[in-house]
Amino acid sequence: DHEGFPHFMLKEIFDQPNVLKDCMRGRIIESPYSHQPEVLLSAVKNHRRELLQAKRIVIVSCGTSWHAGLIGKQLIEHFCRVPVEVAYASEFRYSDPVIEPNDVVMAISQSGETADTLAAIRQAKEKGALIFGIVNSVGSSIARESDTGTYIHVGPEIGVASTKAFTGQLVVLTMIALALGMAKGTVGQEEYEETINELVAIPEKMNKILEQNDKIHALSQKFTYAHNFLYLGRAWNYPVALEGALKLKEISYIHAEGYPAAEMKHGPIALIDAEMPVVFIATHHSLYQKNISNMQEVISRQGHIIAIVTEGDEEIKKMVDEVIEVPQTLACLAPLLSVIPLQLLSYHVAVAKGLNVDQPRNLAKSVTVE
Ligand code: F6R
């Protein structure tokens, strides 16, 4: 039952504002003493000592969960000032990884059954690391074999292309980074509270993007001809570019690549012509002007641009034909909003091509074999 939606994927995209509230429930609270917002995670409280001692954190995951890991690295490094490595679980397990007993290994997995991620944590556990699971499926193998963790609690995800699990993972990673940063004293009270308040405001801002679904639907009809797409973003939005490209590949069968925008000059610019749409994720944060320079380079080569911009943007609107606006938020939370139009774009392109959105060819929801 798609509950009134034509596909599970669309239902799950629209579920995001509500399930993210579930994900935050009981974890973001008002302090009974100061009446200020605070993040309470039992995993961080119960393993405070090991987490504070960690000289480094390694995140292992695959696919969309790996993209969440790339943003998790930025969140944890920003708020906790501890180095974070992000590894594909499949590569980590065969790389004879250097893991010290004081390391913390975080496994991110929607299903909790991904074979490579499970193998990676078993190895890390043997070497004495603390295993921290960020999982959706309650009671799954990765959840059971982790020493501790935080469930994302976004409800079952049925569509093969991951949507609400991704944003749930980002919310959990933000809460972990804030809770740990507070415990370490590496985040100031003001930034801590501002980030929590902005995080709590995300679901309503997502609704404002979802209200533009008809517009995004109309826009996507213009791009069904494409055989290749490029997705470009920087800093916090660079992993969003990777995720947007993966969504399009998976369900629309259109070849797409995500790149940090500045890498364009080092190769991919050779591909740009009138036949290859370029999606820029260029919200109003640092490096905005640099994104604009890259856009000019695409325009001068007759490339077609779809730009994800911050509400009220004037400069980019004057330059490109297709613009989708997302509400203003903090840079570190930008991915939670900028990914939504990309999910919708891939969905509508796939539907227009008559493809099986919920069960794309060759893909399985849980990859339980290598
Ligand atoms: C993408 C997608 C896959 C999964 C990957 C990891 O839409 O669904 O790339 O993200 O197979 O799966 P989990 O998170 O279950 O470990």
Side-chain angles (χ1 to χ4, degrees):
D1 177 29
H2 315 110
E3 292 171 34
F5 288 94
H7 300 97
F8 280 113
M9 183 181 178
L10 191 63
K11 171 190 177 290
E12 288 162 0
I13 292 172
F14 274 79
D15 268 351
Q16 288 174 107
N18 280 329
V19 297
L20 294 186
K21 284 184 207 160
D22 296 338
C23 169
M24 290 185 250
R25 186 162 300 126
R27 293 155 163 190
I28 294 184
I29 59 153
E30 187 177 286
S31 152
Y33 312 105
S34 63
H35 299 286
Q36 305 299 343
E38 95 185 321
V39 181
L40 265 188
L41 293 177
S42 52
V44 174
K45 195 166 151 244
N46 298 341
H47 294 271
R48 192 184 150 95
R49 193 182 48 82
E50 294 109 302
L51 289 167
L52 291 185
Q53 262 179 10
K55 295 260 179 315
R56 137 183 122 120
I57 294 175
V58 181
I59 298 179
V60 292
S61 46
C62 306
T64 289
S65 298
W66 184 77
H67 297 153
L70 294 178
I71 298 167
K73 167 187 165 78
Q74 298 188 54
L75 286 162
I76 295 169
E77 290 187 342
H78 175 75
F79 289 110
C80 313
R81 309 313 299 163
V82 61
V84 181
E85 281 169 42
V86 190
Y88 283 118
S90 56
E91 287 297 310
F92 176 91
R93 64 182 291 195
Y94 293 113
S95 66
D96 188 15
V98 180
I99 293 290
E100 307 284 334
N102 277 343
D103 288 344
V104 170
V105 171
M106 290 186 172
I108 308 179
S109 177
Q110 188 287 128
S111 62
E113 300 297 347
T114 301
D116 283 320
T117 311
L118 188 56
I121 65 169
R122 283 181 180 157
Q123 252 194 48
K125 202 173 187 175
E126 233 163 69
K127 295 186 176 181
L130 177 81
I131 311 297
F132 192 116
I134 299 171
V135 172
N136 192 34
S137 269
V138 176
S140 57
S141 305
I142 295 172
R144 280 184 281 115
E145 296 198 23
S146 294
D147 296 309
T148 185
T150 304
Y151 279 116
I152 66 176
H153 283 319
V154 293
E157 192 179 63
I158 313 282
V160 162
S162 188
T163 52
K164 64 178 181 174
F166 177 71
T167 48
Q169 289 161 349
L170 297 185
V171 168
V172 165
L173 287 160
T174 309
M175 294 192 294
I176 292 170
L178 285 167
L180 194 57
M182 211 21 152
K184 289 188 77 174
T186 44
V187 55
Q189 185 68 30
E190 205 175 309
E191 189 184 10
Y192 175 76
E193 282 176 26
E194 187 191 16
T195 310
I196 296 175
N197 288 332
E198 282 292 326
L199 185 60
V200 170
I202 287 290
E204 279 322 306
K205 293 183 181 184
M206 276 184 176
N207 277 324
K208 293 187 78 179
I209 306 171
L210 295 170
E211 284 166 13
Q212 301 176 64
N213 184 38
D214 289 346
K215 180 190 162 176
I216 298 170
H217 174 243
L219 179 158
S220 43
Q221 307 307 301
K222 302 180 195 170
F223 294 96
T224 51
Y225 73 87
H227 293 291
N228 296 285
F229 255 77
L230 198 56
Y231 285 72
L232 302 173
R234 295 194 70 171
W236 299 92
N237 280 321
Y238 155 52
V240 177
L242 301 184
E243 175 60 7
L246 180 61
K247 289 284 89 86
L248 195 74
K249 278 183 268 212
E250 281 181 295
I251 60 166
S252 317
Y253 313 152
I254 293 175
H255 170 244
E257 284 197 63
Y259 265 98
E263 276 293 305
M264 192 175 75
K265 285 191 185 61
H266 301 283
I269 196 165
L271 296 167
I272 293 170
D273 62 15
E275 304 289 293
M276 190 176 70
V278 184
V279 179
F280 269 92
I281 303 115
T283 50
H284 221 291
H285 297 108
S286 68
L287 304 175
Y288 171 77
Q289 288 302 335
K290 301 210 184 266
N291 270 316
I292 288 184
S293 317
N294 290 136
M295 280 184 207
Q296 275 152 352
E297 289 157 3
V298 171
I299 292 167
S300 66
R301 288 164 182 79
Q302 280 73 52
H304 286 300
I305 295 179
I306 303 170
I308 312 301
V309 302
T310 302
E311 227 166 54
D313 182 283
E314 293 298 335
E315 216 171 327
I316 295 177
K317 250 189 243 165
K318 280 188 226 140
M319 295 170 56
V320 308
D321 300 328
E322 312 292 350
V323 164
I324 304 168
E325 289 182 294
V326 298
Q328 169 73 46
T329 189
L330 298 174
C332 66
L333 303 179
L336 283 163
L337 299 181
S338 48
V339 75
I340 309 287
L342 306 185
Q343 295 171 344
L344 287 170
L345 176 70
S346 64
Y347 171 79
H348 290 302
V349 170
V351 171
K353 292 180 74 174
L355 301 173
N356 185 344
V357 187
D358 284 335
Q359 280 182 312
R361 67 185 181 201
N362 309 339
L363 294 174
K365 187 65 188 159
S366 297
V367 185
T368 52
V369 290
E370 272 190 59

